[in-house]
């Protein structure tokens, strides 16, 4: 009985051993197949009937695939969307949905006082046409320094009572006019409305020039905000461009009495104000340079540094009444900037013959 039991036990052991061997063989086969797929995956060809490995290759095929032999090379391009743009091409020129930037023609304006336009609009337009000009450049402040375009200063008396009539007159013009805005020289707002922002003497009194006119302090707390209100009001009224005159420190009169203790650099102060104005509006801005700045590109006394100001104005105008002011000098200096050159002339003979520059004929 004991012999039978031992024989039975040995049979079961052998059976288990055979199963282990079979499992090990299957596992080895799986590992071999997996390794083959891993190392030969780049050579496998997948088809609808499965995949195969082309271990034997046609010599003719190998010759055709020789990277050094490009005689039979063919480039196949898949059909794509015909409306898709070709890489590297500019499709905006032929795409009617793409907006094309419109560049306005150079300004060719005739200067007129805003009060004169109100008093006799027919005469102003006739004079413009006789001079061969296409737009009006309108001084938007009256003789007593009230602005003709309603802005935030209206509640404090800084706006002319004729502002409504002036707005209607501007709207009736065929061509968008240009506003000429006396900026820092103003005997109304810095003298009575924003007195804290006026240039003062060392004693604290408001400084006056030879014509007894007050000036804004470019660093005054209300100066930038007040000028921006006037500029944006002009833009809202339909003016194409706002040209600032008297945008400088005064150089005529007893300027030695002005308190400059809080201003370390006049050019830095004026440039900082220009930056504030540029960032505070999207209106096109022009600037009439002093004669010294137009000639030498720098007027330290007035605070105008041409290359610094060119960053913040679209057009810099020079007065050609002074024979020493050569437009070519300014054009050369501004060649690599985004700023244009403009001409402010008292006679048609002082205007460029090409008419390619923005120009204002003031005729007086």
């Amino acid at each position: 009985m004991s012999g039978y039991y031992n024989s039975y036990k040995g049979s079961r052991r052998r059976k288990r051993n055979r199963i282990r061997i079979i499992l090990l063989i299957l596992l080895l086969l799986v590992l071999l197949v997996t390794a083959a797929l891993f190392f030969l995956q780049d050579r496998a060809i997948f088809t609808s009937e499965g995949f195969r490995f082309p271990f034997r290759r046609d010599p003719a095929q190998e010759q055709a695939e020789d990277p050094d032999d490009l005689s039979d090379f063919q480039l196949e391009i898949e059909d794509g969307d015909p409306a898709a743009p070709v890489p590297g091409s500019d499709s905006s020129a032929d795409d009617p949905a793409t907006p094309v930037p419109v560049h306005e023609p150079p300004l060719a304006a005739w200067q007129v006082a805003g009060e004169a336009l109100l008093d006799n609009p027919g005469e102003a337009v006739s004079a413009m046409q006789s001079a061969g000009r296409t737009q009006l450049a309108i001084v938007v402040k009256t003789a007593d320094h009230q602005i003709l375009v309603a802005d935030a200063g209206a509640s404090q008396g800084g706006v002319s009572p004729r502002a409504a009539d002036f707005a209607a007159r501007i709207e009736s013009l065929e061509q968008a006019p240009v506003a000429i805005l006396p900026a820092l020289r103003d005997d109304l707002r810095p003298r009575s409305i924003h007195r804290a922002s006026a240039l003062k003497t060392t004693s604290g009194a408001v400084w006056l020039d030879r014509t007894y006119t007050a000036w804004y302090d470019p660093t005054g707390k209300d100066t930038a905000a007040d000028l921006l209100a006037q500029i944006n009001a002009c833009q809202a009224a339909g003016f194409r461009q706002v040209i600032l005159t008297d945008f400088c420190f005064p150089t005529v009169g007893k300027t030695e009495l002005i308190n400059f203790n809080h201003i370390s650099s006049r050019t830095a102060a004026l440039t900082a104000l220009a930056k504030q104005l540029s960032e505070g509006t999207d209106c096109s801005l022009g600037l009439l340079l002093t004669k010294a700045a137009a000639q030498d590109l720098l007027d330290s006394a007035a605070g105008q540094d041409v290359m610094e100001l060119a960053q913040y104005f679209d057009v810099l105008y020079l007065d050609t009444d002074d024979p020493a002011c050569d437009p070519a000098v300014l054009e050369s200096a501004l060649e690599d900037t985004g700023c244009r050159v403009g001409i402010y002339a008292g006679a048609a003979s002082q205007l460029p013959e090409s008419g390619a520059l923005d120009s204002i004929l003031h005729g007086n």
Side-chain angles (χ1 to χ4, degrees), residues 199-267:
L199 282 177
K200 296 183 176 64
T201 65
T202 53
S203 65
V206 174
W207 181 86
L208 304 177
D209 62 19
R210 286 181 180 176
T211 61
Y212 300 98
T213 302
W215 287 66
Y216 277 107
D217 179 348
T219 65
K221 66 182 186 69
D222 297 310
T223 301
D226 199 28
L227 288 178
L228 275 173
Q230 297 175 58
I231 291 169
N232 288 326
C234 289
Q235 182 185 26
F239 285 92
R240 165 180 167 175
Q241 184 183 121
V242 177
I243 302 171
L244 303 183
T245 62
D246 298 316
F247 187 77
C248 58
F249 284 88
T251 57
V252 177
K254 296 183 178 181
T255 57
E256 68 276 6
L257 299 179
I258 300 175
N259 182 12
F260 288 117
N261 291 336
H262 61 294
I263 300 175
S264 58
S265 169
R266 299 184 199 182
T267 56

Side-chain angles (χ1 to χ4, degrees), residues 58-356:
D58 187 357
Q61 182 181 2
E62 292 181 356
Q63 182 179 3
E65 294 181 359
D66 185 357
D68 296 330
D69 184 6
L70 301 180
S71 59
D72 296 330
F73 177 78
Q74 294 183 353
L75 175 65
E76 295 183 4
I77 303 177
E78 295 183 357
D79 293 335
D81 184 2
V86 178
S89 66
D90 184 7
S91 61
S92 61
D94 300 327
D95 186 0
T98 303
V100 179
V102 178
H103 299 284
E104 292 185 337
L107 177 68
W110 171 262
Q111 180 173 316
V112 62
E115 291 174 298
L117 178 64
L118 283 173
D119 295 336
N120 198 337
E123 181 178 341
V125 174
S126 178
M128 175 193 74
Q129 294 172 343
S130 299
R133 308 270 87 189
T134 58
Q135 289 112 345
L136 289 176
I138 306 170
V139 181
V140 294
K141 283 188 178 180
T142 64
D144 57 357
H145 302 273
Q146 288 184 323
I147 193 167
L148 288 161
V149 183
D151 75 317
S155 60
Q156 303 185 58
V159 177
S160 170
R162 306 180 71 184
D165 295 337
F166 185 73
R169 181 61 58 196
I170 297 302
E171 189 175 356
S172 68
L173 295 174
E174 293 184 3
Q175 297 288 336
V178 172
I180 296 181
L181 177 65
L184 299 179
R185 183 176 181 271
D186 188 318
D187 201 42
L188 178 60
R189 298 190 182 212
R191 190 170 188 176
S192 58
I193 300 176
H194 302 298
R195 190 179 179 89
S197 296
L199 282 177
K200 296 183 176 64
T201 65
T202 53
S203 65
V206 174
W207 181 86
L208 304 177
D209 62 19
R210 286 181 180 176
T211 61
Y212 300 98
T213 302
W215 287 66
Y216 277 107
D217 179 348
T219 65
K221 66 182 186 69
D222 297 310
T223 301
D226 199 28
L227 288 178
L228 275 173
Q230 297 175 58
I231 291 169
N232 288 326
C234 289
Q235 182 185 26
F239 285 92
R240 165 180 167 175
Q241 184 183 121
V242 177
I243 302 171
L244 303 183
T245 62
D246 298 316
F247 187 77
C248 58
F249 284 88
T251 57
V252 177
K254 296 183 178 181
T255 57
E256 68 276 6
L257 299 179
I258 300 175
N259 182 12
F260 288 117
N261 291 336
H262 61 294
I263 300 175
S264 58
S265 169
R266 299 184 199 182
T267 56
L270 199 67
T271 301
L273 177 58
K275 183 176 186 291
Q276 287 180 278
L277 299 183
S278 176
E279 294 176 347
T281 184
D282 57 0
C283 179
S284 177
L285 293 178
L287 168 64
L288 179 60
L289 297 171
T290 66
K291 293 181 180 180
Q295 180 178 353
D296 302 324
L297 305 182
L298 178 65
D299 187 346
S300 299
Q304 289 189 356
D305 184 328
V306 169
M307 301 313 297
E308 291 292 333
L309 294 173
Q311 303 175 75
Y312 307 114
F313 288 94
D314 298 284
V315 189
L316 294 181
Y317 291 86
L318 72 160
D319 190 344
T320 54
D321 288 351
D322 185 354
C325 292
D326 184 2
V329 174
L330 192 58
E331 285 185 276
S332 177
L334 301 181
E335 184 177 3
D336 295 329
T337 71
C339 186
R340 307 190 303 276
V341 176
I343 304 297
Y344 185 77
S349 60
Q350 299 170 349
L351 297 174
E353 295 181 359
S354 65

